[in-house]
Amino acid sequence: MTDRIAEHYERVAVDYDDQWNYDPEYVRGFAQAIVGALRLGGSDAIADIGCGTGLYTRRLCEEVRPERPILCVDPVPAMLDQLPRLPGLRPLLAGAEDLASGRIALPDDVPLDAIVLKESIHHLADRRATLRGLVGLLSPHGRLLVVMLPRTLRHPLFQEAHERFRALQPEPQEIVDVLAEAGLRTSVSHRTFHTTVDRERYVHLLESRYLSVLDEFSEDELQAGIAQFRHAYRDDPVIRFDDHFAFVTGWVRPR
Protein backbone atom coordinates (compact mmCIF):
# COMPACT_ATOMS: atom_id res chain seq x y z
CA MET A 1 0.00 0.00 0.00
CA THR A 2 1.41 3.37 -1.04
CA ASP A 3 1.57 6.33 1.32
CA ARG A 4 -1.13 8.06 -0.72
CA ILE A 5 -3.53 5.14 -0.34
CA ALA A 6 -2.73 4.85 3.38
CA GLU A 7 -3.51 8.56 3.78
CA HIS A 8 -6.80 8.03 1.96
CA TYR A 9 -7.90 5.35 4.42
CA GLU A 10 -6.65 7.33 7.41
CA ARG A 11 -8.87 10.19 6.27
CA VAL A 12 -12.04 8.20 5.56
CA ALA A 13 -11.81 5.81 8.53
CA VAL A 14 -14.15 7.66 10.91
CA ASP A 15 -16.98 7.86 8.37
CA TYR A 16 -16.17 4.66 6.49
CA ASP A 17 -19.03 2.54 7.82
CA ASP A 18 -21.58 5.29 7.26
CA GLN A 19 -20.42 5.64 3.66
CA TRP A 20 -20.36 1.95 2.80
CA ASN A 21 -23.25 0.71 4.93
CA TYR A 22 -25.89 2.45 2.83
CA ASP A 23 -27.63 -0.88 2.46
CA PRO A 24 -27.36 -3.31 5.42
CA GLU A 25 -28.83 -6.12 3.31
CA TYR A 26 -25.99 -5.65 0.84
CA VAL A 27 -23.42 -6.18 3.60
CA ARG A 28 -25.24 -9.19 4.99
CA GLY A 29 -25.65 -10.81 1.59
CA PHE A 30 -22.02 -10.22 0.72
CA ALA A 31 -20.83 -11.79 3.98
CA GLN A 32 -23.00 -14.83 3.33
CA ALA A 33 -21.49 -15.15 -0.15
CA ILE A 34 -17.98 -15.16 1.36
CA VAL A 35 -19.00 -17.81 3.90
CA GLY A 36 -20.35 -19.98 1.09
CA ALA A 37 -17.37 -19.52 -1.21
CA LEU A 38 -14.91 -20.56 1.50
CA ARG A 39 -17.23 -23.08 3.17
CA LEU A 40 -16.40 -21.50 6.48
CA GLY A 41 -17.08 -23.40 9.68
CA GLY A 42 -16.80 -22.65 13.36
CA SER A 43 -13.54 -24.55 13.79
CA ASP A 44 -11.71 -22.63 11.04
CA ALA A 45 -8.84 -20.24 11.79
CA ILE A 46 -9.84 -17.25 9.64
CA ALA A 47 -8.04 -14.06 8.63
CA ASP A 48 -9.60 -11.07 6.89
CA ILE A 49 -6.61 -9.29 5.36
CA GLY A 50 -7.33 -5.68 4.51
CA CYS A 51 -10.36 -5.80 6.81
CA GLY A 52 -10.62 -2.03 7.24
CA THR A 53 -13.13 -1.21 9.96
CA GLY A 54 -14.40 -4.78 10.06
CA LEU A 55 -17.71 -3.86 8.42
CA TYR A 56 -17.85 -7.23 6.69
CA THR A 57 -15.72 -9.15 9.21
CA ARG A 58 -18.24 -8.65 12.00
CA ARG A 59 -20.92 -10.09 9.70
CA LEU A 60 -18.68 -13.09 9.00
CA CYS A 61 -18.35 -13.53 12.74
CA GLU A 62 -22.13 -13.50 13.16
CA GLU A 63 -22.59 -16.00 10.34
CA VAL A 64 -19.84 -18.45 11.33
CA ARG A 65 -19.57 -18.02 15.12
CA PRO A 66 -15.92 -19.14 15.07
CA GLU A 67 -14.37 -20.93 18.00
CA ARG A 68 -11.34 -18.63 17.82
CA PRO A 69 -11.41 -14.93 16.96
CA ILE A 70 -11.20 -13.92 13.31
CA LEU A 71 -7.85 -12.24 12.69
CA CYS A 72 -8.58 -8.70 11.44
CA VAL A 73 -5.51 -7.50 9.55
CA ASP A 74 -5.09 -3.95 8.27
CA PRO A 75 -2.06 -1.63 7.87
CA VAL A 76 -3.97 1.57 8.71
CA PRO A 77 -4.29 2.30 12.45
CA ALA A 78 -7.30 4.60 11.99
CA MET A 79 -9.23 1.81 10.31
CA LEU A 80 -8.51 -0.70 13.06
CA ASP A 81 -9.49 1.94 15.62
CA GLN A 82 -13.04 1.62 14.28
CA LEU A 83 -13.06 -2.17 14.68
CA PRO A 84 -15.70 -3.22 17.23
CA ARG A 85 -14.21 -4.58 20.42
CA LEU A 86 -15.86 -7.95 20.16
CA PRO A 87 -14.49 -11.27 21.49
CA GLY A 88 -14.85 -12.79 18.02
CA LEU A 89 -12.51 -10.24 16.37
CA ARG A 90 -8.76 -9.93 16.92
CA PRO A 91 -7.02 -6.88 15.39
CA LEU A 92 -3.53 -7.05 13.91
CA LEU A 93 -1.81 -3.93 12.57
CA ALA A 94 -0.09 -5.26 9.46
CA GLY A 95 -0.31 -5.33 5.72
CA ALA A 96 -0.68 -8.37 3.50
CA GLU A 97 2.97 -7.94 2.52
CA ASP A 98 4.04 -8.01 6.18
CA LEU A 99 2.42 -11.39 6.77
CA ALA A 100 3.47 -12.80 3.42
CA SER A 101 7.13 -11.91 3.95
CA GLY A 102 7.22 -12.99 7.59
CA ARG A 103 8.04 -9.48 8.84
CA ILE A 104 5.04 -9.91 11.12
CA ALA A 105 4.20 -13.40 12.36
CA LEU A 106 0.75 -14.87 12.79
CA PRO A 107 -0.41 -14.69 16.41
CA ASP A 108 0.24 -17.90 18.28
CA ASP A 109 1.94 -19.23 15.13
CA VAL A 110 -1.30 -20.97 14.11
CA PRO A 111 -1.70 -21.70 10.35
CA LEU A 112 -4.81 -20.31 8.71
CA ASP A 113 -7.66 -22.39 7.37
CA ALA A 114 -9.18 -19.49 5.44
CA ILE A 115 -7.88 -16.14 4.18
CA VAL A 116 -10.13 -13.42 2.76
CA LEU A 117 -8.84 -10.51 0.69
CA LYS A 118 -11.85 -8.40 -0.19
CA GLU A 119 -11.32 -5.56 -2.69
CA SER A 120 -7.70 -5.03 -1.67
CA ILE A 121 -5.77 -6.93 -4.32
CA HIS A 122 -5.23 -3.80 -6.45
CA HIS A 123 -3.35 -2.17 -3.55
CA LEU A 124 -0.59 -4.82 -3.56
CA ALA A 125 2.57 -3.64 -5.28
CA ASP A 126 3.87 -7.17 -5.89
CA ARG A 127 0.77 -9.34 -6.14
CA ARG A 128 2.65 -12.49 -7.12
CA ALA A 129 5.09 -12.46 -4.19
CA THR A 130 2.44 -11.44 -1.68
CA LEU A 131 -0.10 -14.06 -2.69
CA ARG A 132 2.55 -16.78 -2.76
CA GLY A 133 3.61 -15.77 0.74
CA LEU A 134 0.03 -15.85 2.00
CA VAL A 135 -0.48 -19.31 0.50
CA GLY A 136 2.44 -20.42 2.64
CA LEU A 137 0.43 -19.49 5.76
CA LEU A 138 -2.40 -21.91 4.95
CA SER A 139 -3.05 -25.14 6.78
CA PRO A 140 -3.15 -28.48 4.87
CA HIS A 141 -6.87 -27.92 4.22
CA GLY A 142 -6.60 -24.17 3.79
CA ARG A 143 -8.26 -21.96 1.21
CA LEU A 144 -7.84 -18.39 0.07
CA LEU A 145 -10.46 -16.09 -1.44
CA VAL A 146 -9.73 -12.94 -3.44
CA VAL A 147 -12.85 -10.85 -3.96
CA MET A 148 -12.32 -8.27 -6.68
CA LEU A 149 -14.21 -5.93 -8.94
CA PRO A 150 -13.84 -6.37 -12.69
CA ARG A 151 -11.77 -3.80 -14.56
CA THR A 152 -14.97 -2.40 -16.07
CA LEU A 153 -16.64 -0.88 -13.04
CA ARG A 154 -20.45 -0.66 -12.94
CA HIS A 155 -20.58 2.00 -10.24
CA PRO A 156 -22.21 5.21 -11.54
CA LEU A 157 -19.01 7.24 -11.63
CA PHE A 158 -17.83 9.84 -14.11
CA GLN A 159 -15.95 8.74 -17.23
CA GLU A 160 -12.42 9.66 -16.09
CA ALA A 161 -12.87 7.67 -12.86
CA HIS A 162 -13.91 4.60 -14.85
CA GLU A 163 -10.84 4.92 -17.05
CA ARG A 164 -8.47 5.39 -14.10
CA PHE A 165 -9.95 2.40 -12.27
CA ARG A 166 -9.54 0.21 -15.36
CA ALA A 167 -5.86 1.12 -15.51
CA LEU A 168 -5.25 0.20 -11.86
CA GLN A 169 -7.31 -2.99 -11.50
CA PRO A 170 -5.85 -6.40 -12.41
CA GLU A 171 -7.79 -9.02 -14.35
CA PRO A 172 -9.17 -11.96 -12.32
CA GLN A 173 -7.24 -14.35 -14.58
CA GLU A 174 -3.97 -12.86 -13.33
CA ILE A 175 -4.93 -13.84 -9.78
CA VAL A 176 -6.03 -17.29 -10.90
CA ASP A 177 -2.65 -17.84 -12.55
CA VAL A 178 -0.71 -16.71 -9.48
CA LEU A 179 -2.66 -18.98 -7.12
CA ALA A 180 -2.27 -21.90 -9.48
CA GLU A 181 1.48 -21.28 -9.70
CA ALA A 182 1.56 -21.33 -5.90
CA GLY A 183 0.10 -24.84 -5.97
CA LEU A 184 -3.57 -24.16 -5.22
CA ARG A 185 -6.55 -25.66 -6.98
CA THR A 186 -8.44 -22.65 -8.29
CA SER A 187 -11.94 -21.67 -9.30
CA VAL A 188 -13.67 -18.45 -10.30
CA SER A 189 -17.29 -17.53 -9.76
CA HIS A 190 -19.11 -14.27 -10.38
CA ARG A 191 -21.57 -12.66 -8.02
CA THR A 192 -23.92 -9.75 -8.55
CA PHE A 193 -25.31 -7.60 -5.75
CA HIS A 194 -28.11 -5.14 -6.37
CA THR A 195 -27.57 -1.66 -4.97
CA THR A 196 -29.96 1.22 -4.35
CA VAL A 197 -28.92 4.62 -3.00
CA ASP A 198 -30.40 8.12 -3.07
CA ARG A 199 -28.73 10.29 -5.69
CA GLU A 200 -27.80 13.04 -3.23
CA ARG A 201 -26.31 10.55 -0.83
CA TYR A 202 -24.28 9.15 -3.68
CA VAL A 203 -23.07 12.66 -4.51
CA HIS A 204 -21.92 12.91 -0.90
CA LEU A 205 -20.05 9.61 -1.32
CA LEU A 206 -18.29 11.00 -4.37
CA GLU A 207 -17.41 14.21 -2.52
CA SER A 208 -16.01 12.09 0.32
CA ARG A 209 -13.90 10.12 -2.20
CA TYR A 210 -15.39 6.91 -0.85
CA LEU A 211 -13.55 4.85 -3.48
CA SER A 212 -9.76 5.08 -3.32
CA VAL A 213 -9.60 5.68 -7.08
CA LEU A 214 -11.25 9.06 -6.47
CA ASP A 215 -8.10 10.19 -4.65
CA GLU A 216 -6.40 10.06 -8.03
CA PHE A 217 -8.13 13.35 -8.91
CA SER A 218 -7.57 16.95 -7.85
CA GLU A 219 -10.44 18.79 -6.20
CA ASP A 220 -11.22 20.62 -9.44
CA GLU A 221 -11.18 17.36 -11.40
CA LEU A 222 -13.43 15.70 -8.84
CA GLN A 223 -15.94 18.55 -8.91
CA ALA A 224 -15.99 18.43 -12.70
CA GLY A 225 -16.65 14.71 -12.51
CA ILE A 226 -19.47 15.21 -10.00
CA ALA A 227 -21.04 17.77 -12.33
CA GLN A 228 -20.82 15.16 -15.10
CA PHE A 229 -22.50 12.64 -12.79
CA ARG A 230 -25.28 15.08 -11.82
CA HIS A 231 -26.04 15.77 -15.46
CA ALA A 232 -26.14 12.07 -16.36
CA TYR A 233 -28.51 11.25 -13.46
CA ARG A 234 -30.47 14.49 -13.31
CA ASP A 235 -33.80 12.64 -13.72
CA ASP A 236 -33.00 9.84 -11.23
CA PRO A 237 -33.57 10.72 -7.54
CA VAL A 238 -32.63 7.13 -6.69
CA ILE A 239 -29.61 5.40 -8.22
CA ARG A 240 -29.83 1.66 -8.88
CA PHE A 241 -26.97 -0.43 -10.19
CA ASP A 242 -25.62 -3.96 -10.15
CA ASP A 243 -22.33 -4.52 -8.39
CA HIS A 244 -20.44 -7.35 -10.13
CA PHE A 245 -17.60 -9.20 -8.40
CA ALA A 246 -15.22 -12.02 -9.22
CA PHE A 247 -14.67 -14.52 -6.40
CA VAL A 248 -11.30 -16.17 -7.06
CA THR A 249 -10.82 -19.11 -4.71
CA GLY A 250 -7.74 -21.23 -4.18
CA TRP A 251 -7.72 -24.54 -2.26
CA VAL A 252 -4.70 -26.40 -0.94
CA ARG A 253 -4.36 -29.60 -2.96
CA PRO A 254 -4.73 -32.77 -0.88
CA ARG A 255 -1.49 -34.70 -0.52
Side-chain angles (χ1 to χ4, degrees):
M1 180 178 288
T2 65
D3 290 343
R4 181 183 58 77
I5 296 299
E7 289 170 3
H8 164 82
Y9 286 112
E10 287 279 354
R11 178 171 50 77
V12 303
V14 173
D15 299 322
Y16 188 84
D17 286 2
D18 290 337
Q19 292 175 1
W20 280 99
N21 201 18
Y22 49 73
D23 186 349
E25 289 304 317
Y26 178 102
V27 176
R28 183 178 296 108
F30 213 120
Q32 290 171 345
I34 291 173
V35 171
L38 283 171
R39 303 177 191 172
L40 295 177
S43 63
D44 285 326
I46 306 166
D48 184 356
I49 299 180
C51 69
T53 63
L55 178 62
Y56 290 87
T57 326
R58 70 194 77 164
R59 287 291 185 189
L60 292 179
C61 191
E62 292 172 5
E63 294 289 332
V64 178
R65 300 189 180 279
E67 297 171 4
R68 68 191 82 189
I70 297 176
L71 191 61
C72 303
V73 183
D74 202 274
V76 180
M79 296 295 270
L80 285 182
D81 285 346
Q82 304 302 314
L83 189 74
R85 297 301 183 254
L86 299 174
L89 305 178
R90 182 176 185 176
L92 177 64
L93 182 62
E97 298 92 340
D98 296 319
L99 290 180
S101 66
R103 287 192 297 269
I104 295 180
L106 290 174
D108 308 321
D109 199 29
V110 175
L112 297 168
D113 301 311
I115 294 175
V116 181
L117 293 100
K118 180 184 179 295
E119 295 184 80
S120 59
I121 194 69
H122 55 290
H123 292 317
L124 302 182
D126 188 341
R127 289 186 279 269
R128 175 168 272 95
T130 302
L131 287 173
R132 290 183 69 90
L134 293 178
V135 168
L137 301 178
L138 292 173
S139 70
H141 53 274
R143 52 267 192 216
L144 185 152
L145 171 65
V146 176
V147 178
M148 57 190 298
L149 288 160
R151 295 184 70 195
T152 301
L153 193 61
R154 298 299 182 185
H155 290 220
L157 302 174
F158 49 95
Q159 184 60 34
E160 291 82 359
H162 281 288
E163 293 171 358
R164 195 70 58 87
F165 184 87
R166 190 178 301 115
L168 296 171
Q169 184 78 350
E171 290 281 4
Q173 188 59 47
E174 174 190 334
I175 308 307
V176 170
D177 292 343
V178 172
L179 296 182
E181 290 171 8
L184 299 187
R185 176 169 50 88
T186 62
S187 66
V188 182
S189 59
H190 297 274
R191 313 294 174 92
T192 297
F193 301 90
H194 305 293
T195 305
T196 302
V197 59
D198 290 344
R199 180 187 59 208
E200 292 309 307
R201 183 169 187 189
Y202 198 80
V203 169
H204 174 68
L205 294 177
L206 295 175
E207 292 172 337
S208 303
R209 301 174 186 262
Y210 81 114
L211 290 170
S212 60
V213 70
L214 296 174
D215 258 1
E216 297 277 326
F217 299 93
S218 69
E219 188 60 31
D220 287 345
E221 290 171 330
L222 180 64
Q223 290 305 317
I226 291 173
Q228 183 186 123
F229 167 86
R230 281 190 178 278
H231 179 75
Y233 293 93
R234 61 189 180 278
D235 298 325
D236 301 302
V238 176
I239 307 298
R240 295 179 175 85
F241 62 97
D242 289 339
D243 228 353
H244 301 290
F245 289 87
F247 278 47
V248 182
T249 311
W251 301 75
V252 173
R253 296 180 184 275
R255 297 179 179 177

